[in-house]
Amino acid sequence: MAYKKVSTDNYEAAKLKIERLKRFNDPFAYTAAISLAAYEKTTNDYKVAIDAKNAGLVAIDELTIDLNAKAAAYEKAEADLRLFIGRDKGLESDEYVAAGGIRQSEIIAQQQKTREANKKASEDKDKTE
């Protein structure tokens, strides 16, 4: 999801290069670190790392999908509990507030403050024009 899988294009090109060089029956050994065998080992190690990362990304994607499903279920359960407590005990009850709700009187008071602020802003705007 967040990370893209690593392409194996470089590995495939290197593998083809190794196959072509092996046809010459020459080890192309210049030092211990610079030879066709060393290049082939490094290339194979690179492929193993690509495969490991890509497998890890698949696992992370699966875990992320599972987490998102569980998070949605959690949010629904929380909202349902709050809704039913509000119906049972009322929107002004301490139980409803403890479940994450806001007292209806507080909502109405906040809406009134917002309306008054908007009205004042509108009046101030009219005065400046």
Side-chain angles (χ1 to χ4, degrees):
M1 292 182 171
Y3 295 103
K4 292 183 179 179
K5 286 188 173 183
V6 178
S7 171
T8 58
D9 291 346
N10 289 343
Y11 168 75
E12 295 299 331
K15 185 176 156 185
L16 183 61
K17 187 185 303 181
I18 291 167
E19 288 175 13
R20 288 179 181 158
L21 288 172
K22 280 185 173 182
R23 291 182 193 153
F24 292 103
N25 292 324
D26 187 341
F28 299 99
Y30 303 104
T31 67
I34 303 172
S35 66
L36 183 58
Y39 179 69
E40 185 174 20
K41 181 186 179 322
T42 301
T43 302
N44 289 336
D45 292 347
Y46 177 54
K47 175 70 163 104
V48 168
I50 289 172
D51 291 343
K53 179 170 182 179
N54 288 343
L57 292 176
V58 168
I60 287 174
D61 283 347
E62 291 170 358
L63 290 171
T64 301
I65 289 167
D66 184 50
L67 173 63
N68 290 343
K70 298 258 174 27
Y74 161 75
E75 290 170 7
K76 183 181 181 328
E78 183 177 34
D80 288 346
L81 180 65
R82 185 173 50 246
L83 176 70
F84 279 87
I85 287 175
R87 285 183 189 165
D88 180 36
K89 303 294 182 183
L91 299 179
E92 296 292 325
S93 68
D94 291 337
E95 293 90 339
Y96 180 67
V97 173
I102 301 172
R103 294 184 197 279
Q104 195 64 30
S105 57
E106 292 174 7
I107 292 173
I108 293 169
Q110 183 60 40
Q111 289 172 340
Q112 181 61 31
K113 285 181 185 177
T114 302
R115 280 193 294 274
E116 289 171 3
N118 288 343
K119 183 178 178 183
K120 185 174 191 267
S122 178
E123 290 171 355
D124 290 344
K125 183 178 175 186
D126 289 342
K127 288 179 184 177
T128 59
E129 290 180 351

